[in-house]
Amino acid sequence: MPLRLNEVRMSAVKPSATLAMAAKAKALIKAGVPVMNLSAGEPDFPTPACIVEAARAAIGLRSSHAYTNPRGTDELIAAMQQKLSREQGVDYKDNEVIATVGTKGALMLALDALVGPGDEVVLFAPYWVTYADLVRLAGARPVVVSTDRERGYQPSMQEFEAALSPSTKLVVLNSPNNPTGAGWPESMLRAILERVRGTGIWVISDEIYEKLVYGDFKHVSPASFDDDARGRTLFVGGVAKAYAMTGWRVGVAAGPKLVIDALMTLQGQRTTCATAVAQVAAAYALREGPDVQAAVAEMRAAYTKRRALVLERARAIPGVKVHDPEGAFYVFLDVNERIPARRALPAGGGGSVIADDVVLANRLLEESNVATVMGSAFQGPGCLRVSYAASEDTLNQGFDRIAAFFASTTSA
Ligand code: GLU
């Protein structure tokens, strides 16, 4: 008998394109190739020293060597509650929050708890690579509402309406968005919550980029709108992006006790709890004392400068268009005009013509040694995601190479 995987389950999932591009870039760098890595959304800053110190002080304690409650330590539960009250404007009881293994962990548990075969989950594209796979792994079906650059990556309510059906069980929101950086105004979020009022439709609000916002954009949390919104919305977020803590793997989820209890049960059976010493670091970060606030402000100031730099560099490339991102640390380059194959290849074409964004991202990496992520991975074909969680020097060299690559290819 041949040895087989669970092929049904594994056919529902593919490797994460963001992690795959980052891994390829890191492997090339390790082999001595000078790659400019603009792929994964991972801060290039170290975790602020004050947060590291808090973890260092805790690492010798027995409590850091033991399982914690699946919900998290008392200290972290209190820090999550304070954070959610202060920043989301929502008071959660201690049985309405849970610390998870990264924000991805919160999303995985939530999708398993909320949806299954026969259910539909509305996603707004472009969307983060992992959502659709987690929906399929849970046995449910993603239903995609497209948004575009011309409309600031905001959906029309008619298109949203058309995506809803009696099978709709969940809507996933992500403002500011990965990969476009688009932040939705409060009116857009309110319109969506208004439409699902009184229905059996849950909402997940992924707010992992909430602190990385620019200009006069104001982040708002749908759960804060009113009792109906609070009762159907699961907040997910975490410490990874704003505090440069990607590898510590601590996520936060908050919502009605019914859902959080389910996440507790699943987490207790799957991973027990987030790593104890990482919970100490996360609690320190989420309390946001003056030292943490200063570190976050410094990183945000750096991202603000880099955002201006990448927008200027991107717009200087003929045929490249880009939305001014309200948040996160990505620009989503619309390169449709530079992909003639999306219309028709010139007779005898081939050669230096770029077939699509997947070919483009791979050629940029292999020929020009600059790592980005293909838009298709986010259901945004004809685009490239560039992460500006990289130094100005890396960004400048990366854009020098992207510009030179485009200059050497057949133009539309
Ligand atoms: N969320 C980041 C990204 O989109 C990190 C990698 C991942 O988990 O996708 O690049």
Side-chain angles (χ1 to χ4, degrees), residues 1-61:
M1 275 287 277
L3 294 164
R4 287 199 190 296
L5 298 174
N6 178 340
E7 282 150 15
V8 173
R9 173 146 330 119
M10 291 314 294
S11 69
V13 65
K14 54 195 174 315
S16 158
T18 48
L19 297 181
M21 284 306 270
K24 269 193 194 174
K26 284 181 186 168
L28 285 168
I29 291 168
K30 206 168 162 194
V33 181
V35 170
M36 297 300 127
N37 189 1
L38 313 180
S39 58
E42 170 153 47
D44 55 320
F45 300 107
T47 303
C50 52
I51 299 173
V52 175
E53 265 323 304
R56 204 192 304 277
I59 202 163
L61 303 177

Side-chain angles (χ1 to χ4, degrees), residues 246-278:
T246 49
W248 297 80
R249 309 309 298 136
V250 182
V252 175
K257 179 175 178 300
L258 175 70
V259 184
I260 299 298
D261 280 352
L263 267 59
M264 284 271 288
T265 303
L266 289 171
Q267 179 150 280
Q269 291 288 33
R270 287 206 169 135
T271 53
T272 305
C273 58
T275 303
V277 74

Side-chain angles (χ1 to χ4, degrees), residues 55-249:
R56 204 192 304 277
I59 202 163
L61 303 177
R62 163 69 189 148
S63 57
S64 302
H65 304 173
Y67 298 130
T68 75
N69 186 307
R71 192 186 300 287
T73 61
D74 290 350
E75 184 199 16
L76 181 53
I77 291 168
M80 291 189 287
Q81 289 176 285
Q82 284 165 30
K83 174 258 179 311
L84 291 158
S85 174
R86 188 177 71 228
E87 289 162 5
Q88 271 54 48
V90 184
D91 290 325
Y92 289 98
K93 298 197 188 77
D94 55 9
N95 59 15
E96 294 179 309
V97 296
I98 182 172
T100 54
V101 182
T103 309
K104 211 177 248 175
L107 287 161
M108 171 188 74
L109 299 177
L111 283 159
D112 283 354
L114 298 177
V115 301
D119 293 333
E120 293 179 352
V121 178
V122 176
L123 302 177
F124 297 91
Y127 55 72
W128 178 48
V129 283
T130 296
Y131 293 149
D133 288 62
L134 290 183
V135 169
R136 281 189 287 263
L137 276 176
R141 192 171 82 85
V143 175
V144 179
V145 177
S146 297
T147 68
D148 56 40
R149 184 182 50 75
E150 284 86 353
R151 288 181 294 166
Y153 295 110
Q154 289 175 46
S156 77
M157 284 309 284
Q158 287 86 336
E159 282 160 341
F160 176 51
E161 188 64 47
L164 299 174
S165 83
S167 302
T168 308
K169 186 81 185 291
L170 169 69
V171 176
V172 179
L173 304 175
N174 175 218
S175 171
N177 171 274
N178 177 4
T180 64
W184 287 0
E186 182 171 343
S187 56
M188 179 87 252
L189 295 168
R190 279 192 184 273
I192 288 174
L193 268 292
E194 201 48 53
R195 174 59 188 83
V196 297
R197 175 183 296 280
T199 66
I201 301 175
W202 293 101
V203 172
I204 289 181
S205 179
D206 179 350
E207 303 180 28
I208 184 65
Y209 295 100
E210 60 178 302
K211 284 181 176 286
L212 300 176
V213 295
Y214 311 105
D216 53 13
F217 181 77
K218 293 265 173 300
H219 174 78
V220 287
S221 292
S224 69
F225 293 162
D226 55 35
D227 287 349
D228 183 274
R230 188 197 189 284
R232 71 179 60 251
T233 302
L234 179 73
F235 163 94
V236 299
V239 294
K241 311 295 181 178
Y243 307 106
M245 293 178 69
T246 49
W248 297 80
R249 309 309 298 136

